[in-house]
Amino acid sequence: MLRWLIGGGREPQGLAEKSSVQTIGEEQIQNPYTELLVLKGHQDIVRFLVQIDDCRFASAGDDGIIFLWNAQCLTVLQRLDVWLSGGSDLCVWNRKLDLLCKTSHLTDAGISALVELPKNCVAAAVGKELIIFRLIASNDGSEGWNVLEVKRLVDHQDNILSLVSVHDLTFVTGSHVGELIVWDALDWTKQASECNFWDSSVHPDAQPEIKLSQSPNETSVQHLTFDEECVFAAVGKGIYVYNLQMKRVIACQRTAHDSSVLHIEKVPNRQLISCSEDGSVRIWELREKQQLPAEPVPTGFFNMWGFGRANKQANQAAKKMQENTPMYFLELVGDLIGHSSAVQMFLYFGELGLATCSADHLIILWKDGERESRLRSLTLFQKLAQNGDLQLKF
């Protein structure tokens, strides 16, 4: 009810009550973000946050203003010490924001995402295609660069919405129709793919839902993040955990939010943060399921016909497979309610908190309440000690 009252633009109350989204009570023991600070300044939807250093970030939105709360909303290539920007052309800039070169990608679609690859290469998502560019320094001794198109990958069936580099050997793409493809970052070949995120028969642990059809918005891979072992995909309203070594989904929360998940981020302690069009920000923890012993198969009847031994062997094989295959699930451990419209993205600053931006024109800093309380107490004691007002009794 509280969520519905705060979010005026969300679904009607009757629909919200029938939602299958996992909920958490007011006693959120594992949620540290009990204080919030609202930052006002933007006059329209705030869409992007860019981290500058350990404590500073910039915001940009539909009002055309960049606030420093300094920096441009561009993709940085740390190896080459240049900046790239997409759109109708691929542009290369230096740190002084001087245009070094640009190249046309010769299609009607714009560049929607960029990621750096080894060997001075860049992968650009252009509609359904993934275009590999190589940056080559100019031979005239100037600071200029040349951009050469190397290869086009056309394995996706629909527009590529998300692109992430896992490490120097692997990068991952996700499309509007729910395709996830794992690529080799050196030779640009496809290593693995997943195209059945919404299929309950593929993910039997998922909660069943009665639907007449699946709309593209419910299957699109909106955002990707990763750690050393897994890729975390925001697919429609859900979150899926894809293990790179096993090459399969090991956990999912099909209805993580009431609306599409727009941004997710992996944080320490096996936790994941997600934000959605429904205006909520949620904290999840990846946990391993407790394995129950496999039930023995009754063999009395089969022994009469000589089938007992075969069924016993099959039962033992199934039990061994179950024991060797760990099962995981996403547990909701925190629900941050403060925005009244879609939360576009967020930045995680560790112990300094969480910054979120929204279509309600606001930026909210979520703070660890206990930490902030200790800091205020420490500041107070230091001030009293400096003024000589602090008397210690022994």
Side-chain angles (χ1 to χ4, degrees), residues 115-240:
V115 68
E116 182 183 6
L117 299 179
K119 301 178 181 179
N120 293 355
C121 290
V122 176
V126 184
K128 301 178 183 180
E129 294 183 321
L130 194 64
I131 305 179
I132 308 298
F133 295 99
R134 175 170 282 126
L135 276 66
I136 302 176
S138 300
N139 296 325
D140 55 9
S142 66
E143 198 182 21
W145 290 83
N146 296 319
V147 180
L148 303 178
E149 181 181 322
V150 180
K151 191 172 184 179
R152 293 191 177 216
L153 308 175
V154 292
D155 295 71
H156 278 289
Q157 302 301 313
D158 207 335
N159 290 343
I160 301 171
L161 300 181
S162 49
L163 180 61
V164 65
S165 176
V166 178
H167 45 64
D168 280 348
L169 299 178
T170 304
F171 69 100
V172 182
T173 55
S175 79
H176 187 57
V177 292
E179 307 161 298
L180 182 146
I181 298 180
V182 181
W183 303 89
D184 187 301
L186 298 177
D187 60 13
W188 316 313
T189 57
K190 185 165 68 173
Q191 293 182 332
S193 63
E194 172 67 53
C195 302
N196 297 303
F197 286 115
W198 59 91
D199 189 346
S200 59
S201 64
V202 178
H203 310 299
D205 291 333
Q207 297 178 355
E209 298 179 50
I210 300 176
K211 291 185 180 295
L212 296 178
S213 63
Q214 289 282 357
S215 69
N217 288 335
E218 292 177 320
T219 62
S220 61
V221 183
Q222 297 287 346
H223 193 246
L224 297 168
T225 188
F226 64 93
D227 62 12
E228 295 83 1
E229 300 177 356
C230 300
V231 171
F232 303 84
V235 184
K237 300 178 182 179
I239 301 171
Y240 293 77

Side-chain angles (χ1 to χ4, degrees), residues 295-354:
E295 296 183 1
V297 177
T299 58
F301 173 79
F302 296 105
N303 277 333
M304 296 173 58
W305 304 96
F307 296 143
R309 182 181 301 275
N311 279 274
K312 184 177 180 180
Q313 292 175 348
N315 183 54
Q316 289 176 346
K319 182 178 179 180
K320 185 176 181 180
M321 181 179 298
Q322 183 183 26
E323 291 175 349
N324 294 335
T325 305
M327 301 297 293
Y328 299 89
F329 69 102
L330 288 168
E331 178 72 18
L332 179 65
V333 297
D335 199 354
L336 310 182
I337 303 175
H339 287 289
S340 61
S341 191
V343 181
Q344 302 294 322
M345 66 171 296
F346 58 86
L347 292 176
Y348 174 71
F349 288 95
E351 64 178 10
L352 296 180
L354 190 73

Side-chain angles (χ1 to χ4, degrees), residues 17 23 27 68 74 100 110 119 168 190 216 253 312 316 361:
E17 291 176 349
T23 59
E27 294 293 330
L68 178 59
L74 303 173
L100 302 180
K119 301 178 181 179
D168 280 348
K190 185 165 68 173
Q253 185 61 244
K312 184 177 180 180
Q316 289 176 346
H361 309 175

Side-chain angles (χ1 to χ4, degrees), residues 257-269:
H257 292 264
D258 287 317
S259 300
S260 294
V261 182
L262 299 180
H263 190 88
I264 56 175
E265 196 70 42
K266 180 69 172 59
V267 297
N269 300 322

